[in-house]
Amino acid sequence: MRLLVVANRAPIRKTDTGWSPSIGGLATALLPVLEEQGGVWVSMGEEPDLPERQPYPAEDPNFHVRRVPLTQETLDNYYYGMSNRVLWPLSHYMIEHMELNDDFYADYRDVNRRFAEAVVEEAQEGDQVWVQDYHLMLAPHFIRERWPEATIGHFWHIPWPAMEVFRILPQARDLLRGMLGCDLIGFHVDEYVNNFIESARVLLGAHVERNIIHWQGREVRIETHPLGIDTGRFQQMTEEKETQEAVQNLRDETGTEHLVLGIDRMDYTKGILRRLLAFEKFLEDYPAYHERVSFYQIATPSRTKLETYQQMKREVDEAVGRINGQFGTDTWVPVYYRYRKYTQRKLCAFYNAASVCFITPLRDGMNLVAQEYVTSNDGGVLVLSELTGASYVLDQAVKVNPYDHKALAEAIREALEMPEDERKERLRELKEATARLDVHRWADRFLKAMDRVAVA
Ligand code: GDG
């Protein structure tokens, strides 16, 4: 049976040598499924010269990429506007960053409708539709309108906020109705499932039985499907000679006994500034660690067009300058800060080299960096914000409230001083938990759940 994946971004990208699959996340999970089962990946067409319908691989295709062409203005409203200036901050409980605007919503609706039209045009009997994430909340409803017997799933990658927060949105009910076009909706953790069900119950008056929402004569199942990483790929890459050479180079570059690591997209939800301030406090409180510990923060550029992201970068730049100015010496750099994208191999080297991975988002749907660290490291400690989905599934992390300045600084010390036996035992359990979430198993479980709703 074929699969129609509906996601904002295409799973392939143009390189100097031609088209190749994107690395990481969804593409890794779903391309093998498409290769085996065939189907179509519907995504936005952000550049005008890209083909609207592209067979892949070109010579002997096993699926097609179908693009929904967007003008710059539509992209600005649908993607940079409604998706990233309304739904993103709201879902992360950061309503101070929310910018409501009627044009954003009009184009968001329109783009979702056009995605749905493309899906229906591509559909063949028996196909299943799997929609991804917060960019496409209305598409399920629009697909259902045109194709009533479709089997439609949706996976939501970010937190679903408490009903009382979601209802702040003037379009909350419309968006919920959009999602309820599905047969199955998946979230990372039970808390988001409960929040979604509560939103449908209170805001739409939907009848709910356990995890089933009865809606317009249909049943919509709401389930927990925590997403993982490609554990095999990270394990293998970490062991390879080239990666181990990079680990050695990194150790030579920093020269300190311990490396504390942060890797994130540069996003206000990730808590990068508070993390730096906590490291500053740690250096103030524990001078014995001067010259012995460096903090390495990789911040990958993201949504750089948006003013809030530019402002945050200025604040991070400033904090790094201040800390290094105050504490740095001729032989020691307290904070290494890189605002750029690295190869996955280089990330593995960072994960492998770090004594502590310091992951302190103010909110995060899951956080895959935490899983990548525990998979690629063999003696370190994961310090993890309790406001992440990952904290529900990674029990053996050192959990911390990212808003608690003192506790964050203390967590660094605790991690650095943790006895070896405890570190090893915690890491062993973390690796087991991460293996259970593996992205291929995740996709498999979600698709099996789709099969169950399809026959129900
Ligand atoms: C959303 C949700 C949820 C980062 N820098 C580089 C790079 N990365 C890769 C990491 C990791 C991914 O990006 C980031 O994933 P996260 O899960 O940490 O966060 P979001 O991007 O916010 O993702 C999140 C996720 O969706 C999945 O559902 O977990 O909560 O917000 O894989 O390795 N990759 C490369 N170079 C970099 O410089 N190659």
Short mmCIF file of all heavy atoms in Angstrom, two decimals, residues 153-184:
data_model
loop_
_atom_site.label_atom_id
_atom_site.label_comp_id
_atom_site.label_asym_id
_atom_site.label_seq_id
_atom_site.Cartn_x
_atom_site.Cartn_y
_atom_site.Cartn_z
N GLY A 153 -3.40 10.22 8.90
CA GLY A 153 -2.71 10.35 10.19
C GLY A 153 -2.00 11.69 10.24
O GLY A 153 -1.73 12.31 9.20
N HIS A 154 -1.70 12.13 11.45
CA HIS A 154 -0.95 13.38 11.62
C HIS A 154 0.00 13.17 12.77
O HIS A 154 -0.40 12.66 13.82
CB HIS A 154 -1.93 14.52 11.93
CG HIS A 154 -1.33 15.90 11.87
ND1 HIS A 154 -0.34 16.32 12.73
CD2 HIS A 154 -1.56 16.95 11.04
CE1 HIS A 154 -0.01 17.58 12.42
NE2 HIS A 154 -0.73 17.98 11.40
N PHE A 155 1.26 13.57 12.60
CA PHE A 155 2.16 13.58 13.76
C PHE A 155 2.57 15.01 14.06
O PHE A 155 3.04 15.74 13.19
CB PHE A 155 3.40 12.69 13.55
CG PHE A 155 4.17 12.57 14.83
CD1 PHE A 155 3.75 11.69 15.82
CD2 PHE A 155 5.26 13.38 15.09
CE1 PHE A 155 4.41 11.62 17.05
CE2 PHE A 155 5.92 13.33 16.32
CZ PHE A 155 5.50 12.44 17.29
N TRP A 156 2.41 15.36 15.33
CA TRP A 156 2.65 16.73 15.81
C TRP A 156 4.00 16.73 16.54
O TRP A 156 4.15 16.06 17.56
CB TRP A 156 1.49 17.08 16.75
CG TRP A 156 1.49 18.46 17.30
CD1 TRP A 156 1.98 18.85 18.52
CD2 TRP A 156 0.94 19.63 16.69
NE1 TRP A 156 1.76 20.20 18.69
CE2 TRP A 156 1.14 20.70 17.58
CE3 TRP A 156 0.30 19.88 15.47
CZ2 TRP A 156 0.72 22.00 17.31
CZ3 TRP A 156 -0.11 21.17 15.20
CH2 TRP A 156 0.09 22.22 16.11
N HIS A 157 4.98 17.47 16.04
CA HIS A 157 6.35 17.35 16.54
C HIS A 157 6.70 18.26 17.72
O HIS A 157 7.77 18.15 18.29
CB HIS A 157 7.34 17.63 15.40
CG HIS A 157 7.36 16.56 14.37
ND1 HIS A 157 8.35 15.60 14.30
CD2 HIS A 157 6.50 16.25 13.37
CE1 HIS A 157 8.10 14.78 13.29
NE2 HIS A 157 6.98 15.14 12.71
N ILE A 158 5.83 19.19 18.04
CA ILE A 158 6.17 20.17 19.09
C ILE A 158 5.19 19.96 20.25
O ILE A 158 4.31 19.09 20.16
CB ILE A 158 6.14 21.62 18.52
CG1 ILE A 158 4.76 22.02 18.03
CG2 ILE A 158 7.15 21.73 17.36
CD1 ILE A 158 4.66 23.47 17.52
N PRO A 159 5.30 20.68 21.35
CA PRO A 159 4.33 20.44 22.43
C PRO A 159 2.93 20.86 21.99
O PRO A 159 2.79 21.80 21.20
CB PRO A 159 4.81 21.39 23.55
CG PRO A 159 6.21 21.78 23.21
CD PRO A 159 6.31 21.71 21.72
N TRP A 160 1.92 20.15 22.48
CA TRP A 160 0.55 20.70 22.39
C TRP A 160 0.29 21.35 23.74
O TRP A 160 0.34 20.67 24.77
CB TRP A 160 -0.50 19.62 22.08
CG TRP A 160 -1.83 20.29 21.81
CD1 TRP A 160 -2.70 20.78 22.74
CD2 TRP A 160 -2.39 20.59 20.52
NE1 TRP A 160 -3.78 21.38 22.11
CE2 TRP A 160 -3.61 21.27 20.75
CE3 TRP A 160 -1.99 20.36 19.21
CZ2 TRP A 160 -4.43 21.72 19.71
CZ3 TRP A 160 -2.81 20.80 18.18
CH2 TRP A 160 -4.02 21.47 18.43
N PRO A 161 0.01 22.65 23.76
CA PRO A 161 -0.05 23.34 25.06
C PRO A 161 -1.33 23.01 25.81
O PRO A 161 -2.27 22.45 25.26
CB PRO A 161 -0.01 24.81 24.65
CG PRO A 161 -0.66 24.84 23.31
CD PRO A 161 -0.30 23.54 22.64
N ALA A 162 -1.38 23.42 27.05
CA ALA A 162 -2.58 23.27 27.87
C ALA A 162 -3.75 23.96 27.17
O ALA A 162 -3.56 24.99 26.51
CB ALA A 162 -2.35 23.90 29.24
N MET A 163 -4.94 23.39 27.33
CA MET A 163 -6.12 23.94 26.65
C MET A 163 -6.27 25.45 26.89
O MET A 163 -6.58 26.21 25.99
CB MET A 163 -7.35 23.15 27.13
CG MET A 163 -8.67 23.60 26.58
SD MET A 163 -9.41 24.97 27.49
CE MET A 163 -9.78 24.18 29.06
N GLU A 164 -6.03 25.87 28.14
CA GLU A 164 -6.21 27.29 28.47
C GLU A 164 -5.23 28.19 27.73
O GLU A 164 -5.47 29.38 27.58
CB GLU A 164 -6.10 27.51 29.99
CG GLU A 164 -7.34 27.09 30.77
CD GLU A 164 -8.54 28.02 30.52
OE1 GLU A 164 -8.41 29.00 29.78
OE2 GLU A 164 -9.61 27.74 31.08
N VAL A 165 -4.13 27.62 27.29
CA VAL A 165 -3.18 28.39 26.48
C VAL A 165 -3.58 28.31 25.01
O VAL A 165 -3.63 29.32 24.31
CB VAL A 165 -1.73 27.86 26.70
CG1 VAL A 165 -0.76 28.51 25.71
CG2 VAL A 165 -1.30 28.14 28.13
N PHE A 166 -3.94 27.12 24.56
CA PHE A 166 -4.31 26.98 23.14
C PHE A 166 -5.50 27.88 22.79
O PHE A 166 -5.56 28.45 21.70
CB PHE A 166 -4.62 25.51 22.81
CG PHE A 166 -4.87 25.30 21.35
CD1 PHE A 166 -3.84 25.44 20.42
CD2 PHE A 166 -6.15 25.00 20.89
CE1 PHE A 166 -4.07 25.29 19.06
CE2 PHE A 166 -6.39 24.84 19.53
CZ PHE A 166 -5.34 24.99 18.62
N ARG A 167 -6.42 28.02 23.74
CA ARG A 167 -7.64 28.79 23.44
C ARG A 167 -7.38 30.29 23.29
O ARG A 167 -8.27 31.02 22.83
CB ARG A 167 -8.72 28.52 24.49
CG ARG A 167 -8.51 29.26 25.80
CD ARG A 167 -9.56 28.93 26.83
NE ARG A 167 -10.92 29.01 26.35
CZ ARG A 167 -12.00 28.57 27.02
NH1 ARG A 167 -11.84 28.02 28.21
NH2 ARG A 167 -13.20 28.69 26.53
N ILE A 168 -6.20 30.75 23.63
CA ILE A 168 -5.85 32.16 23.41
C ILE A 168 -5.94 32.50 21.92
O ILE A 168 -6.32 33.60 21.53
CB ILE A 168 -4.40 32.43 23.91
CG1 ILE A 168 -4.33 32.31 25.43
CG2 ILE A 168 -3.90 33.80 23.44
CD1 ILE A 168 -2.93 32.37 25.98
N LEU A 169 -5.62 31.53 21.11
CA LEU A 169 -5.59 31.74 19.66
C LEU A 169 -7.00 31.99 19.11
O LEU A 169 -7.89 31.16 19.29
CB LEU A 169 -5.03 30.45 19.06
CG LEU A 169 -4.37 30.51 17.70
CD1 LEU A 169 -3.24 31.51 17.71
CD2 LEU A 169 -3.84 29.12 17.36
N PRO A 170 -7.21 33.11 18.43
CA PRO A 170 -8.56 33.37 17.91
C PRO A 170 -9.05 32.26 16.97
O PRO A 170 -10.24 32.02 16.87
CB PRO A 170 -8.39 34.69 17.14
CG PRO A 170 -7.18 35.33 17.73
CD PRO A 170 -6.29 34.23 18.20
N GLN A 171 -8.12 31.59 16.27
CA GLN A 171 -8.52 30.54 15.32
C GLN A 171 -8.47 29.14 15.95
O GLN A 171 -8.46 28.14 15.22
CB GLN A 171 -7.62 30.55 14.09
CG GLN A 171 -7.56 31.87 13.35
CD GLN A 171 -6.47 32.80 13.89
OE1 GLN A 171 -5.68 32.42 14.75
NE2 GLN A 171 -6.43 34.03 13.38
N ALA A 172 -8.42 29.07 17.28
CA ALA A 172 -8.21 27.77 17.94
C ALA A 172 -9.22 26.71 17.47
O ALA A 172 -8.85 25.58 17.16
CB ALA A 172 -8.30 27.94 19.46
N ARG A 173 -10.49 27.09 17.40
CA ARG A 173 -11.51 26.09 17.07
C ARG A 173 -11.39 25.63 15.62
O ARG A 173 -11.53 24.45 15.31
CB ARG A 173 -12.91 26.65 17.36
CG ARG A 173 -13.17 26.80 18.84
CD ARG A 173 -14.56 27.35 19.15
NE ARG A 173 -14.79 27.39 20.59
CZ ARG A 173 -14.36 28.38 21.38
NH1 ARG A 173 -13.69 29.40 20.88
NH2 ARG A 173 -14.59 28.34 22.68
N ASP A 174 -11.14 26.58 14.75
CA ASP A 174 -10.99 26.25 13.33
C ASP A 174 -9.82 25.27 13.14
O ASP A 174 -9.91 24.28 12.40
CB ASP A 174 -10.71 27.56 12.56
CG ASP A 174 -11.04 27.45 11.09
OD1 ASP A 174 -11.96 26.68 10.75
OD2 ASP A 174 -10.38 28.13 10.28
N LEU A 175 -8.73 25.55 13.84
CA LEU A 175 -7.54 24.70 13.70
C LEU A 175 -7.80 23.29 14.27
O LEU A 175 -7.38 22.29 13.69
CB LEU A 175 -6.36 25.35 14.42
CG LEU A 175 -5.83 26.61 13.71
CD1 LEU A 175 -4.94 27.44 14.65
CD2 LEU A 175 -5.04 26.24 12.45
N LEU A 176 -8.52 23.25 15.37
CA LEU A 176 -8.85 21.93 15.95
C LEU A 176 -9.72 21.13 14.98
O LEU A 176 -9.51 19.93 14.77
CB LEU A 176 -9.62 22.11 17.25
CG LEU A 176 -8.80 22.28 18.51
CD1 LEU A 176 -9.72 22.66 19.67
CD2 LEU A 176 -8.04 21.00 18.85
N ARG A 177 -10.70 21.80 14.38
CA ARG A 177 -11.56 21.11 13.41
C ARG A 177 -10.72 20.59 12.25
O ARG A 177 -10.96 19.52 11.71
CB ARG A 177 -12.66 22.04 12.89
CG ARG A 177 -13.82 22.22 13.88
CD ARG A 177 -15.01 22.94 13.24
NE ARG A 177 -14.77 24.36 13.10
CZ ARG A 177 -15.13 25.28 13.99
NH1 ARG A 177 -15.82 24.94 15.07
NH2 ARG A 177 -14.86 26.55 13.80
N GLY A 178 -9.70 21.37 11.87
CA GLY A 178 -8.80 20.93 10.81
C GLY A 178 -8.11 19.63 11.17
O GLY A 178 -8.08 18.67 10.40
N MET A 179 -7.58 19.57 12.39
CA MET A 179 -6.86 18.37 12.84
C MET A 179 -7.80 17.17 12.94
O MET A 179 -7.40 16.02 12.70
CB MET A 179 -6.26 18.61 14.23
CG MET A 179 -5.17 19.65 14.28
SD MET A 179 -3.59 19.05 13.64
CE MET A 179 -3.03 18.00 14.97
N LEU A 180 -9.06 17.43 13.30
CA LEU A 180 -9.99 16.32 13.50
C LEU A 180 -10.48 15.71 12.18
O LEU A 180 -11.28 14.77 12.18
CB LEU A 180 -11.17 16.76 14.38
CG LEU A 180 -10.76 17.01 15.85
CD1 LEU A 180 -11.94 17.55 16.65
CD2 LEU A 180 -10.20 15.76 16.51
N GLY A 181 -9.97 16.21 11.07
CA GLY A 181 -10.17 15.51 9.79
C GLY A 181 -9.42 14.18 9.77
O GLY A 181 -9.65 13.34 8.91
N CYS A 182 -8.51 14.00 10.73
CA CYS A 182 -7.68 12.77 10.78
C CYS A 182 -8.44 11.57 11.35
O CYS A 182 -9.48 11.72 11.99
CB CYS A 182 -6.49 13.00 11.72
SG CYS A 182 -5.30 14.17 11.11
N ASP A 183 -7.82 10.40 11.16
CA ASP A 183 -8.26 9.19 11.87
C ASP A 183 -7.35 8.94 13.07
O ASP A 183 -7.75 8.28 14.02
CB ASP A 183 -8.17 7.97 10.95
CG ASP A 183 -9.01 8.13 9.71
OD1 ASP A 183 -10.25 8.06 9.85
OD2 ASP A 183 -8.44 8.38 8.63
N LEU A 184 -6.11 9.42 12.97
CA LEU A 184 -5.12 9.15 14.01
C LEU A 184 -4.24 10.38 14.16
O LEU A 184 -3.75 10.93 13.16
CB LEU A 184 -4.26 7.95 13.57
CG LEU A 184 -3.03 7.64 14.41
CD1 LEU A 184 -3.44 7.09 15.78
CD2 LEU A 184 -2.14 6.60 13.70
#
